[in-house]
Amino acid sequence: MLWITLREMRAHARRLAGTGLAVVLGVAFLTGTLVLGATLHANFDSLLTEANAGTDVVVRNDTELDANVARAPIDASLVDRVAAVDGVAAAEGQVSGYGALLGSDGKAIGGNGPPQMAASWVTDPRLTPYHLAEGRAPRADGEVVISKSTADNGHLHLGDTTTLLTPEPVEVTIVGLARFGDTDGLGGVTYTAFDLPSAQAHVLKSPDRVSSVVVQGEDGVDQSTLADRISAVLPAGVEATTGTQVAAEAVDQINQTFLDSLTTFLTMFAGVALLVGTFSIYNTFSIIVAQRTRQAALLRALGAGRGQVIRSVIFEALLVGVTGSLVGLAAGIGVAGLLKGLFDAAGFALPAGGIVVTGGTVAAALVAGVLVTLVAGVVPAVKASRVAPLAALRAVATEGRGPSVARIAAGTLLVAAGAGLTLAAVIGGGGTLAPVGIGALLTVIGAVVSGPAVARPVARVLGAPLARLRGMTGGLARENAMRNPRRTAGTASALMVGVAVVTLFTVFAASLKASIDDSIDKSFGGDLVVTAGRFGNGGVSPQMVADVAALPEVGTTVGVSRATLQIDGDTKEASVAPLGDLGRLLDVGVTGGSLADVGDGELAVSDNVAEDFGWQRGDRVAVTFPDGAQERLTVAATYDTTNLVGNYLVPQSVWQPHAVQTVDPLVLVEAAPGTSVASAEAAVEQVAERYGNPDVADRAEFAATAAGNVDMLLTIIYALLALAIVIALMGIANTLSLSIHERTRELGLLRAVGQTRRQVRAMVRGESVVIAAFGAVGGVALGVFLGWALVRVAGESAGLVEVFALPTGRLLIVLAVGALAGVVAGLRPARRASRLDILAAIASD
């Protein structure tokens, strides 16, 4: 049997080529995802470990609210106290914080994810990974050292003068270029360093504070021992932590906040590609096995057992899976580079470094590829083993044409259960995604199972235009798609799943943009919005807000900043603003109290938060600030619109005593009475030029910018889903090629009675279009339903998507592209069908 299986595979290698390619592409995507994740983990681990290589102990504030939030500064006098501890070889205070450096074009460098850092230049080379590559260290106010990567990205050179936003604009002269260890910079971080007094003045706004103290111990002194000695001389609220622990915290932070999420995000799309590939592989094996029915029967007649037939097909699937997985594993390294390039092109800078391929990556890719192929091949193998030996002595149908009653019943039950669970989760409320996810999975499975039951009538409807436009040729194409509903549905299933995911994200993105537009239209009562214009932790200076407010063309101006607080033991992000002015420009839907009345010792919370925690107006909640200070704030107002301000609103007077660097990511501006919006915008833009040219937009432009960010993310998602669609189209092409082999005699007879080669090509392409349209229509229908459910549940759980929008135009494009893809998928099978030798085809069995 092994010899027969190998001979069969060698004789019909082309039949398995498409199946093998589907395995290759799916495994390549999965491998690329895992390789990229492992590479980034290794690169960040190496960079962050190197950053702390010379530091044995770090002295810092002991209040940590969030790994992404800088700790509050400490007293600079602690530097001398720490330096006097036995075993300390060197100790130096350092400052670090936010600082956006403007490039030669006047725009901020970086900021799309990696931080923009302003710091103090550490003079002791033992305590810093940065070392001078060109120039000298800063000696006076206004002199800075920047990393070479920052200089390259901003087209800056030694001696150039530019502006650093801290967030106040500071004119600086570049006197030195530094490298980070052996690299030109730390990932995508922009690095600008003053001397220590200047950094204290511009970053911390205090001459007697530092962000931390870095310490190197004497030879032979253990880090933990040294940390214990230093801790003994520190005041309450300050801690000494080993350099190893600080490095581990930095690695954990980047893993938890970015890398793990990125890997999960990409793996989800790799899973979709593998799922689509599973349908294509299953369909191919089903057809191949069906076409070898008489061969299997003959083997049974000659004495082969059912187990031998099953093992023969499974062995065939195993060889395809192993071969495809090995090739996909090799191709995945290139895919990792393409994925990194995709994110770099979208503005999300990722650090460079060598490719890392771990044993876990190899094992996961091989297991996934082989397992998917084996699972897809099991059912056809079992079907092949059930062929009666006498079937070898008579003509047999190569494949069951229609669905069984059991399959129709099972599909109907699955669709009903899935749709019912989804609807119950949406209508019943609760805002949890788990029931919707389970319901969506059941619905998709049910649609695939019950596909053959609807394939014939749907193909009849979808193929009707072909019959009218192309006459007999179009009619034959429609009949070919209708004649075997099981095959049509199986072929279209892969495309249906891919299109359903595309549609789901399209509907969600359209609803998110509609929600943003609706929120701005209903809640924003101002005329202009000023933002940093990039992704990240940037913003504009409160000093600019004051300058804008002083313009005669401007009425009310409100800067909205962000604060990280610990509220009732949980770390939360709050919006900070003068709430009375904010209430005049932004309608947050106050449901209790008044924003204007929220004063010292108070805060406002959203209705969702109040409901979740059971808070009422007048309740007092425990709040911890980044500097360790604790207060009990009173809930003075509640509101229901959170799109622009989030779930917590804190007055400036409450936050300001604890703030270090206040940056306003959002500034709302109202034109003065009698002043046109255009005049006010021109005046604000003149002020903005002095602060790094942040974006100044009117209401419509602000909404368009927000929508543009959604479109950018959607473009990335489309690119990641493209592979799944390609695999699905390969499945259509492979199925048509196999069906042409099955219908060789039929095609020969059609040619004999006068059908031209051109008509044969048109017929096969038409069949491909009907199958693709069937998958696209089913996918759009599923995607719209599941997208609607996701929007409703996401609106309840997060309050971000409150409007359901059906992007009709985009969905029509999806359908059109699906039909066009059917034409592309049918090109090669159509050409092959038209080239059949007429006499040989008629004589074939």
Side-chain angles (χ1 to χ4, degrees), residues 4-102:
I4 293 174
T5 302
L6 293 174
R7 285 291 301 269
E8 183 68 25
M9 292 182 68
R10 187 164 56 249
H12 302 288
R14 291 180 60 180
R15 300 187 191 182
L16 297 172
T19 302
L21 190 55
V23 177
V24 169
L25 292 178
V27 171
F29 197 170
L30 177 61
T31 302
T33 296
L34 298 177
V35 167
L36 178 62
T39 300
L40 293 178
H41 276 280
N43 290 345
F44 276 112
D45 193 351
S46 175
L47 287 171
L48 295 173
T49 300
E50 184 178 2
N52 294 277
T55 303
D56 292 319
V57 176
V58 175
V59 178
R60 61 190 183 181
N61 194 298
D62 68 355
T63 301
E64 181 188 13
L65 300 185
D66 187 274
N68 290 317
V69 178
R71 300 191 186 213
I74 57 178
D75 197 318
S77 64
L78 291 175
V79 177
D80 293 335
R81 189 185 301 184
V82 169
V85 172
D86 182 35
V88 172
E92 188 167 339
Q94 67 174 3
V95 170
S96 61
Y98 167 77
L101 189 70
L102 304 189

Side-chain angles (χ1 to χ4, degrees), residues 185-220:
L186 174 57
V189 174
T190 62
Y191 174 80
T192 307
F194 296 98
D195 63 2
L196 180 59
S198 300
Q200 290 173 311
H202 297 300
V203 179
L204 298 184
K205 312 296 190 293
S206 173
D208 55 2
R209 310 285 280 177
V210 292
S211 300
S212 61
V213 181
V214 287
V215 181
Q216 186 179 60
E218 295 177 348
D219 291 341

Side-chain angles (χ1 to χ4, degrees), residues 196-288:
L196 180 59
S198 300
Q200 290 173 311
H202 297 300
V203 179
L204 298 184
K205 312 296 190 293
S206 173
D208 55 2
R209 310 285 280 177
V210 292
S211 300
S212 61
V213 181
V214 287
V215 181
Q216 186 179 60
E218 295 177 348
D219 291 341
V221 180
D222 178 74
Q223 285 190 0
S224 298
T225 301
L226 186 61
D228 291 339
R229 292 177 185 176
I230 294 173
S231 295
V233 303
L234 297 178
V238 182
E239 67 178 12
T241 307
T242 65
T244 301
Q245 177 63 29
V246 171
E249 289 175 359
V251 172
D252 289 342
Q253 173 191 344
I254 197 69
N255 288 343
Q256 294 173 8
T257 60
F258 173 63
L259 292 183
D260 289 346
S261 299
L262 175 64
T263 303
T264 301
F265 176 75
L266 293 176
T267 303
M268 178 180 69
F269 292 98
V272 172
L274 283 172
L275 177 63
V276 170
T278 302
F279 285 116
S280 296
I281 296 165
Y282 169 79
N283 205 46
T284 300
F285 271 106
S286 294
I287 296 173
I288 291 174

Side-chain angles (χ1 to χ4, degrees), residues 565-570 572 574 598 600-606 609-625 629-638 647-651 654:
L565 310 167
Q566 195 174 81
I567 301 177
D568 261 8
D570 293 326
K572 305 292 183 182
V598 179
D600 291 345
E602 297 178 332
L603 80 165
V605 301
S606 70
V609 167
E611 182 180 348
D612 289 344
F613 290 97
W615 293 343
Q616 304 284 338
R617 286 178 56 211
D619 287 351
R620 293 170 62 81
V621 297
V623 175
T624 301
F625 295 91
Q630 297 181 344
E631 294 185 34
R632 294 190 68 84
L633 302 183
T634 301
V635 177
T638 55
N647 287 311
Y648 299 88
L649 280 171
V650 175
V654 172

Side-chain angles (χ1 to χ4, degrees), residues 740-791:
I740 286 168
H741 173 79
E742 174 188 306
R743 303 197 310 249
T744 299
R745 187 175 185 185
E746 172 189 319
L747 291 170
L749 289 172
L750 288 173
R751 291 293 312 283
V753 297
Q755 189 177 52
T756 65
R757 288 188 173 185
R758 182 177 180 181
Q759 288 174 320
V760 170
R761 290 195 296 269
M763 181 183 70
V764 176
R765 287 197 304 267
E767 182 179 352
S768 175
V769 168
V770 173
I771 294 173
F774 176 59
V777 169
V780 167
L782 274 175
V784 168
F785 172 68
L786 299 179
W788 168 81
L790 179 62
V791 166

Side-chain angles (χ1 to χ4, degrees), residues 28 31-32 35 328-338 355 357:
T31 302
V35 167
L329 185 63
I333 297 175
V335 172
L338 292 176
I355 293 295
V357 182

